[in-house]
Amino acid sequence: MTTEPPYLRIAGEIRRRIESGELGPGDPVPSTRRITQEWGVAMATATKALGALNQEGLVRAVPGVGTVVAESGRERATTPARQLSRELVIRTAIELVDAEGLAALSMRRIATEFGTSTMALYRHVPSKGELVRLMAEAVFGSGPTGPRPTGWRPHLEREARWLWKQYARHPWLARSVAGLTRPMASPNAMQYTERVLAGLAGLGLTPEQMLHIHLTILGYAQGIAMAVELESQARQDSGMTAEEWMTSMEPRMAAVQTTAAYPVLSTFFGTDDFELELGTLFEFGLARVLDGVEGLVEGARPGVRP
């Protein structure tokens, strides 16, 4: 007797939930990480299971949400190999990873999105690593619009906020771009660096100081952006928003509040005066970082004002 491959067994169970109405149109299906936990399989097997369902037209990827039940029928027609292009592969990969996270990305999974073979993709993108680089390069292909602000500080604020917007829109981006230790040799990503350094030119700073300022801001934005990716994955895994999760944790928080171990921290619980929001946190930290840069600029060139 032939044993059914694990990914087909998992796909069959999710298909049953869809056909029975347990999962309706627009409902999220188990993420790749949830599948690995629920069925005890490897990430590659989970990816193949969702890929099989996608190829059947039963599910689709929704950026920022994850994989959901398709509204009706085969929502994605197969794409003949002759119609594939590098740009189409990159755009599809970005949509998939925006929805499901970087762990869901594989050449096999992208191939199932088009209903074609993995070999057909290799004609356009040589490897998964190169695909991730091209995805990041595509995101960095745009930049802030409008005239350049006057003054180094408004200039750096605009660039940092543009970068934060890309990280918030594409949670996978911060982890895929190791800009501090292994910068990418990518023209579009280097254009961001060039814009930041141009805003620092002529201030009396040394090249080392200019580069360190750029990397400090980049590292700060990446660090906060990691929380965006973690929250996106946590939402897929738990099925709860951050607010719903906090509500579920209230009994534990209340228990902690009654102890004397955290006399300062416990005063934060149960109050509506403070709510952690990543965008607000980013702006707070950015202002403090630039305050430090301001002192450096003034020391390097007296009389310069932000």
Side-chain angles (χ1 to χ4, degrees), residues 85-99:
S85 67
R86 171 175 287 197
E87 291 72 22
L88 182 58
V89 171
I90 294 169
R91 185 168 65 250
T92 301
I94 290 175
E95 291 175 356
L96 170 66
V97 177
D98 281 352

mmCIF file with all atom_site columns, all heavy atoms in Angstrom, residues 85-99:
data_model
loop_
_atom_site.group_PDB
_atom_site.id
_atom_site.type_symbol
_atom_site.label_atom_id
_atom_site.label_alt_id
_atom_site.label_comp_id
_atom_site.label_asym_id
_atom_site.label_entity_id
_atom_site.label_seq_id
_atom_site.pdbx_PDB_ins_code
_atom_site.Cartn_x
_atom_site.Cartn_y
_atom_site.Cartn_z
_atom_site.occupancy
_atom_site.B_iso_or_equiv
_atom_site.pdbx_formal_charge
_atom_site.auth_seq_id
_atom_site.auth_comp_id
_atom_site.auth_asym_id
_atom_site.auth_atom_id
_atom_site.pdbx_PDB_model_num
ATOM 1   N N   . SER A 1 85 ? 8.536  36.329 -16.292 1.00 0.00 ? 85 SER A N   1
ATOM 2   C CA  . SER A 1 85 ? 9.610  37.297 -16.400 1.00 0.00 ? 85 SER A CA  1
ATOM 3   C C   . SER A 1 85 ? 10.223 37.477 -15.029 1.00 0.00 ? 85 SER A C   1
ATOM 4   O O   . SER A 1 85 ? 9.618  37.131 -14.006 1.00 0.00 ? 85 SER A O   1
ATOM 5   C CB  . SER A 1 85 ? 9.092  38.644 -16.909 1.00 0.00 ? 85 SER A CB  1
ATOM 6   O OG  . SER A 1 85 ? 8.224  39.238 -15.943 1.00 0.00 ? 85 SER A OG  1
ATOM 7   N N   . ARG A 1 86 ? 11.431 38.000 -14.994 1.00 0.00 ? 86 ARG A N   1
ATOM 8   C CA  . ARG A 1 86 ? 12.084 38.232 -13.702 1.00 0.00 ? 86 ARG A CA  1
ATOM 9   C C   . ARG A 1 86 ? 11.245 39.177 -12.847 1.00 0.00 ? 86 ARG A C   1
ATOM 10  O O   . ARG A 1 86 ? 11.072 38.960 -11.648 1.00 0.00 ? 86 ARG A O   1
ATOM 11  C CB  . ARG A 1 86 ? 13.478 38.814 -13.925 1.00 0.00 ? 86 ARG A CB  1
ATOM 12  C CG  . ARG A 1 86 ? 14.137 39.285 -12.630 1.00 0.00 ? 86 ARG A CG  1
ATOM 13  C CD  . ARG A 1 86 ? 15.556 39.753 -12.840 1.00 0.00 ? 86 ARG A CD  1
ATOM 14  N NE  . ARG A 1 86 ? 16.449 38.632 -13.076 1.00 0.00 ? 86 ARG A NE  1
ATOM 15  C CZ  . ARG A 1 86 ? 17.769 38.712 -12.962 1.00 0.00 ? 86 ARG A CZ  1
ATOM 16  N NH1 . ARG A 1 86 ? 18.341 39.850 -12.630 1.00 0.00 ? 86 ARG A NH1 1
ATOM 17  N NH2 . ARG A 1 86 ? 18.528 37.658 -13.185 1.00 0.00 ? 86 ARG A NH2 1
ATOM 18  N N   . GLU A 1 87 ? 10.708 40.225 -13.458 1.00 0.00 ? 87 GLU A N   1
ATOM 19  C CA  . GLU A 1 87 ? 9.914  41.201 -12.712 1.00 0.00 ? 87 GLU A CA  1
ATOM 20  C C   . GLU A 1 87 ? 8.667  40.560 -12.115 1.00 0.00 ? 87 GLU A C   1
ATOM 21  O O   . GLU A 1 87 ? 8.298  40.850 -10.967 1.00 0.00 ? 87 GLU A O   1
ATOM 22  C CB  . GLU A 1 87 ? 9.513  42.363 -13.632 1.00 0.00 ? 87 GLU A CB  1
ATOM 23  C CG  . GLU A 1 87 ? 10.663 43.256 -14.065 1.00 0.00 ? 87 GLU A CG  1
ATOM 24  C CD  . GLU A 1 87 ? 11.590 42.582 -15.072 1.00 0.00 ? 87 GLU A CD  1
ATOM 25  O OE1 . GLU A 1 87 ? 11.143 41.619 -15.745 1.00 0.00 ? 87 GLU A OE1 1
ATOM 26  O OE2 . GLU A 1 87 ? 12.767 42.999 -15.161 1.00 0.00 ? 87 GLU A OE2 1
ATOM 27  N N   . LEU A 1 88 ? 8.018  39.668 -12.861 1.00 0.00 ? 88 LEU A N   1
ATOM 28  C CA  . LEU A 1 88 ? 6.814  39.015 -12.366 1.00 0.00 ? 88 LEU A CA  1
ATOM 29  C C   . LEU A 1 88 ? 7.143  38.075 -11.221 1.00 0.00 ? 88 LEU A C   1
ATOM 30  O O   . LEU A 1 88 ? 6.410  38.003 -10.219 1.00 0.00 ? 88 LEU A O   1
ATOM 31  C CB  . LEU A 1 88 ? 6.137  38.243 -13.501 1.00 0.00 ? 88 LEU A CB  1
ATOM 32  C CG  . LEU A 1 88 ? 4.812  37.531 -13.153 1.00 0.00 ? 88 LEU A CG  1
ATOM 33  C CD1 . LEU A 1 88 ? 3.797  38.532 -12.623 1.00 0.00 ? 88 LEU A CD1 1
ATOM 34  C CD2 . LEU A 1 88 ? 4.261  36.799 -14.377 1.00 0.00 ? 88 LEU A CD2 1
ATOM 35  N N   . VAL A 1 89 ? 8.250  37.356 -11.334 1.00 0.00 ? 89 VAL A N   1
ATOM 36  C CA  . VAL A 1 89 ? 8.674  36.451 -10.264 1.00 0.00 ? 89 VAL A CA  1
ATOM 37  C C   . VAL A 1 89 ? 8.969  37.245 -9.000  1.00 0.00 ? 89 VAL A C   1
ATOM 38  O O   . VAL A 1 89 ? 8.550  36.875 -7.892  1.00 0.00 ? 89 VAL A O   1
ATOM 39  C CB  . VAL A 1 89 ? 9.908  35.634 -10.692 1.00 0.00 ? 89 VAL A CB  1
ATOM 40  C CG1 . VAL A 1 89 ? 10.479 34.853 -9.505  1.00 0.00 ? 89 VAL A CG1 1
ATOM 41  C CG2 . VAL A 1 89 ? 9.550  34.673 -11.831 1.00 0.00 ? 89 VAL A CG2 1
ATOM 42  N N   . ILE A 1 90 ? 9.689  38.350 -9.130  1.00 0.00 ? 90 ILE A N   1
ATOM 43  C CA  . ILE A 1 90 ? 10.035 39.177 -7.962  1.00 0.00 ? 90 ILE A CA  1
ATOM 44  C C   . ILE A 1 90 ? 8.782  39.748 -7.323  1.00 0.00 ? 90 ILE A C   1
ATOM 45  O O   . ILE A 1 90 ? 8.628  39.713 -6.096  1.00 0.00 ? 90 ILE A O   1
ATOM 46  C CB  . ILE A 1 90 ? 11.000 40.311 -8.388  1.00 0.00 ? 90 ILE A CB  1
ATOM 47  C CG1 . ILE A 1 90 ? 12.331 39.734 -8.846  1.00 0.00 ? 90 ILE A CG1 1
ATOM 48  C CG2 . ILE A 1 90 ? 11.195 41.301 -7.236  1.00 0.00 ? 90 ILE A CG2 1
ATOM 49  C CD1 . ILE A 1 90 ? 13.230 40.751 -9.522  1.00 0.00 ? 90 ILE A CD1 1
ATOM 50  N N   . ARG A 1 91 ? 7.874  40.281 -8.126  1.00 0.00 ? 91 ARG A N   1
ATOM 51  C CA  . ARG A 1 91 ? 6.650  40.880 -7.586  1.00 0.00 ? 91 ARG A CA  1
ATOM 52  C C   . ARG A 1 91 ? 5.808  39.843 -6.847  1.00 0.00 ? 91 ARG A C   1
ATOM 53  O O   . ARG A 1 91 ? 5.276  40.108 -5.765  1.00 0.00 ? 91 ARG A O   1
ATOM 54  C CB  . ARG A 1 91 ? 5.847  41.516 -8.718  1.00 0.00 ? 91 ARG A CB  1
ATOM 55  C CG  . ARG A 1 91 ? 4.618  42.277 -8.222  1.00 0.00 ? 91 ARG A CG  1
ATOM 56  C CD  . ARG A 1 91 ? 4.007  43.132 -9.316  1.00 0.00 ? 91 ARG A CD  1
ATOM 57  N NE  . ARG A 1 91 ? 3.468  42.348 -10.413 1.00 0.00 ? 91 ARG A NE  1
ATOM 58  C CZ  . ARG A 1 91 ? 4.005  42.303 -11.625 1.00 0.00 ? 91 ARG A CZ  1
ATOM 59  N NH1 . ARG A 1 91 ? 5.108  43.006 -11.900 1.00 0.00 ? 91 ARG A NH1 1
ATOM 60  N NH2 . ARG A 1 91 ? 3.458  41.586 -12.585 1.00 0.00 ? 91 ARG A NH2 1
ATOM 61  N N   . THR A 1 92 ? 5.709  38.653 -7.419  1.00 0.00 ? 92 THR A N   1
ATOM 62  C CA  . THR A 1 92 ? 4.928  37.582 -6.785  1.00 0.00 ? 92 THR A CA  1
ATOM 63  C C   . THR A 1 92 ? 5.578  37.144 -5.478  1.00 0.00 ? 92 THR A C   1
ATOM 64  O O   . THR A 1 92 ? 4.894  36.894 -4.482  1.00 0.00 ? 92 THR A O   1
ATOM 65  C CB  . THR A 1 92 ? 4.797  36.389 -7.738  1.00 0.00 ? 92 THR A CB  1
ATOM 66  O OG1 . THR A 1 92 ? 4.151  36.821 -8.939  1.00 0.00 ? 92 THR A OG1 1
ATOM 67  C CG2 . THR A 1 92 ? 3.988  35.266 -7.107  1.00 0.00 ? 92 THR A CG2 1
ATOM 68  N N   . ALA A 1 93 ? 6.907  37.053 -5.470  1.00 0.00 ? 93 ALA A N   1
ATOM 69  C CA  . ALA A 1 93 ? 7.626  36.662 -4.253  1.00 0.00 ? 93 ALA A CA  1
ATOM 70  C C   . ALA A 1 93 ? 7.415  37.694 -3.149  1.00 0.00 ? 93 ALA A C   1
ATOM 71  O O   . ALA A 1 93 ? 7.221  37.335 -1.982  1.00 0.00 ? 93 ALA A O   1
ATOM 72  C CB  . ALA A 1 93 ? 9.107  36.497 -4.559  1.00 0.00 ? 93 ALA A CB  1
ATOM 73  N N   . ILE A 1 94 ? 7.432  38.965 -3.497  1.00 0.00 ? 94 ILE A N   1
ATOM 74  C CA  . ILE A 1 94 ? 7.203  40.018 -2.500  1.00 0.00 ? 94 ILE A CA  1
ATOM 75  C C   . ILE A 1 94 ? 5.804  39.899 -1.915  1.00 0.00 ? 94 ILE A C   1
ATOM 76  O O   . ILE A 1 94 ? 5.610  40.003 -0.693  1.00 0.00 ? 94 ILE A O   1
ATOM 77  C CB  . ILE A 1 94 ? 7.420  41.414 -3.123  1.00 0.00 ? 94 ILE A CB  1
ATOM 78  C CG1 . ILE A 1 94 ? 8.908  41.633 -3.430  1.00 0.00 ? 94 ILE A CG1 1
ATOM 79  C CG2 . ILE A 1 94 ? 6.916  42.514 -2.188  1.00 0.00 ? 94 ILE A CG2 1
ATOM 80  C CD1 . ILE A 1 94 ? 9.207  42.926 -4.161  1.00 0.00 ? 94 ILE A CD1 1
ATOM 81  N N   . GLU A 1 95 ? 4.801  39.676 -2.757  1.00 0.00 ? 95 GLU A N   1
ATOM 82  C CA  . GLU A 1 95 ? 3.426  39.532 -2.277  1.00 0.00 ? 95 GLU A CA  1
ATOM 83  C C   . GLU A 1 95 ? 3.308  38.339 -1.328  1.00 0.00 ? 95 GLU A C   1
ATOM 84  O O   . GLU A 1 95 ? 2.646  38.418 -0.287  1.00 0.00 ? 95 GLU A O   1
ATOM 85  C CB  . GLU A 1 95 ? 2.473  39.365 -3.464  1.00 0.00 ? 95 GLU A CB  1
ATOM 86  C CG  . GLU A 1 95 ? 2.332  40.620 -4.317  1.00 0.00 ? 95 GLU A CG  1
ATOM 87  C CD  . GLU A 1 95 ? 1.466  40.374 -5.543  1.00 0.00 ? 95 GLU A CD  1
ATOM 88  O OE1 . GLU A 1 95 ? 1.049  39.212 -5.751  1.00 0.00 ? 95 GLU A OE1 1
ATOM 89  O OE2 . GLU A 1 95 ? 1.211  41.334 -6.298  1.00 0.00 ? 95 GLU A OE2 1
ATOM 90  N N   . LEU A 1 96 ? 3.955  37.245 -1.691  1.00 0.00 ? 96 LEU A N   1
ATOM 91  C CA  . LEU A 1 96 ? 3.891  36.045 -0.860  1.00 0.00 ? 96 LEU A CA  1
ATOM 92  C C   . LEU A 1 96 ? 4.545  36.278 0.497   1.00 0.00 ? 96 LEU A C   1
ATOM 93  O O   . LEU A 1 96 ? 3.971  35.966 1.554   1.00 0.00 ? 96 LEU A O   1
ATOM 94  C CB  . LEU A 1 96 ? 4.588  34.880 -1.567  1.00 0.00 ? 96 LEU A CB  1
ATOM 95  C CG  . LEU A 1 96 ? 4.822  33.618 -0.724  1.00 0.00 ? 96 LEU A CG  1
ATOM 96  C CD1 . LEU A 1 96 ? 3.491  32.978 -0.346  1.00 0.00 ? 96 LEU A CD1 1
ATOM 97  C CD2 . LEU A 1 96 ? 5.707  32.632 -1.471  1.00 0.00 ? 96 LEU A CD2 1
ATOM 98  N N   . VAL A 1 97 ? 5.746  36.850 0.493   1.00 0.00 ? 97 VAL A N   1
ATOM 99  C CA  . VAL A 1 97 ? 6.487  37.029 1.740   1.00 0.00 ? 97 VAL A CA  1
ATOM 100 C C   . VAL A 1 97 ? 5.870  38.133 2.594   1.00 0.00 ? 97 VAL A C   1
ATOM 101 O O   . VAL A 1 97 ? 5.912  38.063 3.823   1.00 0.00 ? 97 VAL A O   1
ATOM 102 C CB  . VAL A 1 97 ? 7.977  37.304 1.438   1.00 0.00 ? 97 VAL A CB  1
ATOM 103 C CG1 . VAL A 1 97 ? 8.748  37.557 2.703   1.00 0.00 ? 97 VAL A CG1 1
ATOM 104 C CG2 . VAL A 1 97 ? 8.580  36.113 0.695   1.00 0.00 ? 97 VAL A CG2 1
ATOM 105 N N   . ASP A 1 98 ? 5.297  39.152 1.979   1.00 0.00 ? 98 ASP A N   1
ATOM 106 C CA  . ASP A 1 98 ? 4.553  40.162 2.749   1.00 0.00 ? 98 ASP A CA  1
ATOM 107 C C   . ASP A 1 98 ? 3.432  39.491 3.533   1.00 0.00 ? 98 ASP A C   1
ATOM 108 O O   . ASP A 1 98 ? 3.118  39.891 4.660   1.00 0.00 ? 98 ASP A O   1
ATOM 109 C CB  . ASP A 1 98 ? 3.944  41.213 1.822   1.00 0.00 ? 98 ASP A CB  1
ATOM 110 C CG  . ASP A 1 98 ? 4.958  42.251 1.358   1.00 0.00 ? 98 ASP A CG  1
ATOM 111 O OD1 . ASP A 1 98 ? 6.092  42.244 1.872   1.00 0.00 ? 98 ASP A OD1 1
ATOM 112 O OD2 . ASP A 1 98 ? 4.610  43.065 0.485   1.00 0.00 ? 98 ASP A OD2 1
ATOM 113 N N   . ALA A 1 99 ? 2.805  38.480 2.926   1.00 0.00 ? 99 ALA A N   1
ATOM 114 C CA  . ALA A 1 99 ? 1.649  37.823 3.537   1.00 0.00 ? 99 ALA A CA  1
ATOM 115 C C   . ALA A 1 99 ? 2.044  36.756 4.542   1.00 0.00 ? 99 ALA A C   1
ATOM 116 O O   . ALA A 1 99 ? 1.437  36.633 5.607   1.00 0.00 ? 99 ALA A O   1
ATOM 117 C CB  . ALA A 1 99 ? 0.759  37.207 2.454   1.00 0.00 ? 99 ALA A CB  1
#
